[in-house]
Amino acid sequence: MELRKISPRIAVSPQIAAIDMVAIKAAGFRSVICNRPDGEGTDQPTFAEIEAAAESAGLEARYIPIVSGKVSDEDAALFDAALSELPGPVLAYCRTGTRSTTLWALAEGARGTAIPEILKSTKSAGYDMSGVVRRIANGGKTPTDTADANHDIVIIGGGAAGISVAASLLARAGDLDIAIIDPQDVHYYQPGWTMVGGGVFAPDVTARTMASLIPRGVAWIKAAVAAFEPDKNALILDGCRVVRYNRLIVAPGLKLDWDAVEGLPETLGRNGVTSNYRYDLAPYTWELVKGLKRGKAIFTQPPMPIKCAGAPQKALYLSADHWYRTGVLKDIDIEFCNAGGVLFGVKDYVPALEGYIEKYNAKLSFTHNLARIDGPARTAWFERTMTDGTKETVEKTFDMIHVVPPQTAPDFIRVSPLADQAGWVDVDQTTLRHKTYENIWSLGDVMNAPNAKTAAAARKQAPVVANNLLADMGRARGIAHYDGYGSCPLTVERGKIVLAEFGYGGKLLPSFPGFLIDGTKPSRLSWLLKERLLPPVYWKAMLRGKEWMAKPEIIG
């Protein structure tokens, strides 16, 4: 007997025997649903036998037989009704558990449960529901097999990566049929939020309407993607709209998992709890920094991967620099609680950063991962990993805390056929082409190449994907290679930056000669680059297909 829990109310199982009823009862179940027709297998007990054993054990039983591969809409409705009528928890079974799982998934679709949530539950139980995802999206009912839209190239995501790759494609071939799918009305220049939190930028300079940035000639489908059907070259959108493509580019960014820290969503933006990882919270960071004259300031960093790995400590440096310049630093206790074990992943930049940690008298607490926070009590709890692998809970009080949330691929990506075991889109790290589906590419924060997740990385990736997709269409020569380039301008003080530029394996990939900018040391010229040059480069070049200093290497 193999019981696989799908939700608190239901578990499924391959074929059970009458003798299993006592154990099923002991496991806490109160009802059993049989979804396997009598006589399907020679070693299969009849439902009458199961029902008698269930009654003897004090369980209710219901017979909803389903012919293998023929789950009808009416069957799903009957199953849903049974779940409502029977006392729970319920165990449903068939030959392998797949039919029972399918019925549950369709019933949940009819209830309006989000598709990623349904697919996550069934996947965790060991069942792949990708074959019925369109029916789930259609409220559990069989939809027509027609597409609402067809485009040669479809791009998921209208962020830095998605718009940049659309612009790069059009710069090479202006007659392409391209659509971008994104539900958002506003596009953000996220690298600017650190500067907002440091009092350098006003928030509104980091935001523009999506409509103003979608390249001319590109269709904008203002919707959210619910699921993939890569074998059919189709996407399922919320509401069961279907979009078909010949080639697909996946660039929706990543998910900030605020809920992963207990108590965090309830206290964000008040009680001294802030984060530069949200547009509406970065101004609160600056408000807290200006108002703090004495006390404890904590800055956190979650486990990797995260977008812009230097951003958690950038907030620390700019805050500490303000306190230093206003003469209150001596009265403020600064602590950097990092879930990892090093200050920065590329060792060449660490000495300069350690110099600023010493200047600001900040305490480094490695292997400290934020687990819970109580804003009104101004208290946070960290899970600390010891050298022997054991863990302990550490309690810390604060007057101000800058929180960086754990980060994952979006839910609809993690449960899709495109994802690797960790949930990221599985690509070749050089060509950025999917390892399984040859007409799919990915770039930006969502894919699994081992590079830094930064806008600068997306700027280099967009031309690579554009070239390689067009080469696949026979409209470009050679294959472009991505070297893992990423950049992290570490704002160590107002007016100076350590300009970290590196590729795969931590190899330094400076954009400027050493006599002009030595990226391993703080530089005023790098600050000028960050403050004055990079924003217009982003808005006027990167998002418009102008590849200044971003031309890819072409092989063959």
Side-chain angles (χ1 to χ4, degrees):
M1 186 176 63
E2 183 182 352
L3 309 182
R4 304 183 186 183
K5 183 178 178 181
I6 292 180
S7 75
R9 180 160 176 76
I10 186 171
V12 298
S13 170
Q15 179 67 57
I16 58 175
I19 197 173
D20 294 327
M21 290 303 160
V22 174
I24 290 171
K25 174 72 172 180
F29 293 96
R30 299 173 63 195
S31 305
V32 174
I33 298 177
C34 173
N35 296 131
R36 192 178 188 192
D38 284 348
E40 189 178 68
T42 57
D43 59 348
Q44 169 192 352
T46 65
F47 175 69
E49 294 174 74
I50 294 293
E51 185 178 34
E55 183 178 346
S56 178
L59 297 166
E60 291 196 35
R62 185 74 59 89
Y63 187 45
I64 306 177
I66 308 296
V67 176
S68 181
K70 295 183 178 180
V71 178
S72 71
D73 297 346
E74 292 74 20
D75 293 331
L78 283 173
F79 188 83
D80 188 31
L83 287 181
S84 298
E85 296 163 4
L86 292 170
V90 176
L91 175 66
Y93 75 92
C94 54
R95 186 180 70 82
T96 64
T98 298
R99 274 168 277 181
S100 300
T101 304
T102 301
L103 288 163
W104 176 85
L106 295 175
E108 286 298 301
R111 293 174 181 270
T113 304
I115 292 178
E117 186 177 332
I118 296 172
L119 296 181
K120 178 181 178 182
S121 297
T122 57
K123 186 177 182 179
S124 66
Y127 296 98
D128 179 9
M129 292 292 105
S130 60
V132 292
V133 70
R134 199 176 300 194
R135 291 179 64 184
I136 297 171
N138 197 43
K141 298 183 182 298
T142 304
T144 59
D145 192 30
T146 59
D148 297 281
N150 291 272
H151 294 278
D152 195 17
I153 301 169
V154 172
I155 300 169
I156 299 175
I163 291 182
S164 295
V165 74
S168 287
L169 282 165
L170 290 175
R172 289 167 168 78
D175 61 340
L176 294 171
D177 171 26
I178 303 175
I180 289 178
I181 302 176
D182 196 296
Q184 302 302 319
D185 291 307
V186 181
H187 177 106
Y188 295 104
Y189 175 55
Q190 296 182 33
W193 292 349
T194 293
M195 303 290 264
V196 174
V200 182
F201 287 173
D204 58 1
V205 305
T206 68
R208 294 190 183 179
T209 64
M210 187 73 77
S212 70
L213 297 172
I214 299 287
R216 182 176 299 176
V218 172
W220 177 21
I221 301 173
K222 194 174 182 294
V225 175
F228 295 84
E229 290 184 334
D231 293 329
K232 298 179 181 178
N233 292 342
L235 301 170
I236 313 301
L237 310 185
D238 284 349
C240 200
R241 284 188 291 163
V242 177
V243 176
R244 284 206 172 95
Y245 58 84
N246 291 324
R247 290 166 182 83
L248 178 67
I249 299 174
V250 184
L254 49 67
K255 172 185 175 181
L256 302 178
D257 195 0
W258 304 100
D259 291 324
V261 178
E262 183 182 346
L264 180 58
E266 296 85 350
T267 193
L268 275 170
R270 54 186 179 272
N271 302 314
V273 183
T274 189
S275 179
N276 289 342
Y277 274 71
R278 234 172 64 181
Y279 174 78
D280 61 321
L281 294 177
Y284 184 53
T285 300
W286 181 231
E287 180 183 326
L288 291 173
V289 170
K290 289 188 297 181
L292 189 64
K293 308 301 180 185
R294 63 176 60 249
K296 179 65 175 285
I298 298 176
F299 298 82
T300 77
Q301 178 170 315
M304 293 297 182
I306 64 172
K307 63 168 64 187
C308 192
Q313 57 187 292
K314 292 181 192 180
L316 183 157
Y317 298 136
L318 285 180
S319 301
D321 179 64
H322 175 77
W323 296 325
Y324 176 82
R325 291 171 185 269
T326 55
V328 300
L329 182 62
K330 64 184 184 302
D331 298 316
I332 298 176
D333 179 17
I334 302 173
E335 185 172 4
F336 185 42
C337 294
N338 187 346
V342 295
L343 184 58
F344 194 71
V346 182
K347 60 181 177 54
D348 300 76
Y349 302 104
V350 171
L353 301 179
E354 287 179 334
Y356 278 93
I357 291 293
E358 183 178 347
K359 174 183 177 180
Y360 300 135
N361 196 30
K363 178 183 177 183
L364 296 177
S365 296
F366 293 120
T367 68
H368 279 61
N369 187 29
L370 180 63
R372 181 162 66 96
I373 191 166
D374 184 333
R378 304 282 177 129
T379 304
W381 290 265
F382 294 81
E383 183 181 75
R384 181 189 180 193
T385 303
M386 313 298 285
T387 54
D388 62 358
T390 59
K391 299 181 185 298
E392 67 172 8
T393 299
V394 180
E395 179 181 307
K396 297 179 184 290
T397 58
F398 61 84
D399 295 284
M400 167 191 168
I401 184 168
H402 179 274
V403 176
V404 178
Q407 294 162 40
T408 68
D411 294 342
F412 75 95
I413 294 291
R414 288 188 290 123
V415 298
S416 77
L418 275 58
D420 66 7
Q421 290 297 312
W424 306 95
V425 178
D426 194 18
V427 300
D428 177 276
Q429 70 177 43
T430 300
T431 65
L432 305 184
R433 192 174 200 168
H434 198 274
K435 291 180 180 178
T436 302
Y437 303 101
E438 292 190 349
N439 64 337
I440 297 178
W441 289 260
S442 183
L443 73 158
D445 295 344
V446 77
M447 52 87 170
N448 65 354
N451 62 282
K453 296 183 183 296
T454 67
R459 186 171 70 89
K460 289 293 188 81
Q461 294 161 7
V464 170
V465 171
N467 180 89
N468 292 348
L469 185 150
L470 288 171
D472 185 63
M473 295 176 67
R475 300 187 63 175
R477 292 185 178 180
I479 300 300
H481 283 198
Y482 172 58
D483 58 7
Y485 176 87
S487 176
C488 185
L490 292 147
T491 50
V492 290
E493 63 176 280
R494 190 165 184 141
K496 286 188 179 180
I497 276 177
V498 172
L499 184 58
E501 295 182 282
F502 49 89
Y504 290 138
K507 179 182 178 181
L508 301 193
L509 296 174
S511 298
F512 306 96
F515 71 85
L516 190 62
I517 295 179
D518 181 351
T520 64
K521 297 177 181 178
S523 161
R524 294 193 182 278
L525 190 56
S526 295
W527 177 273
L528 178 65
L529 183 73
K530 170 76 171 177
E531 182 185 22
R532 303 285 179 84
L533 299 182
L534 289 184
V537 165
Y538 181 83
W539 297 117
K540 297 179 180 180
M542 179 175 169
L543 300 187
R544 295 184 180 179
K546 296 179 174 62
E547 297 164 4
W548 302 332
M549 302 179 70
K551 294 289 185 183
E553 179 186 6
I554 306 296
I555 307 297

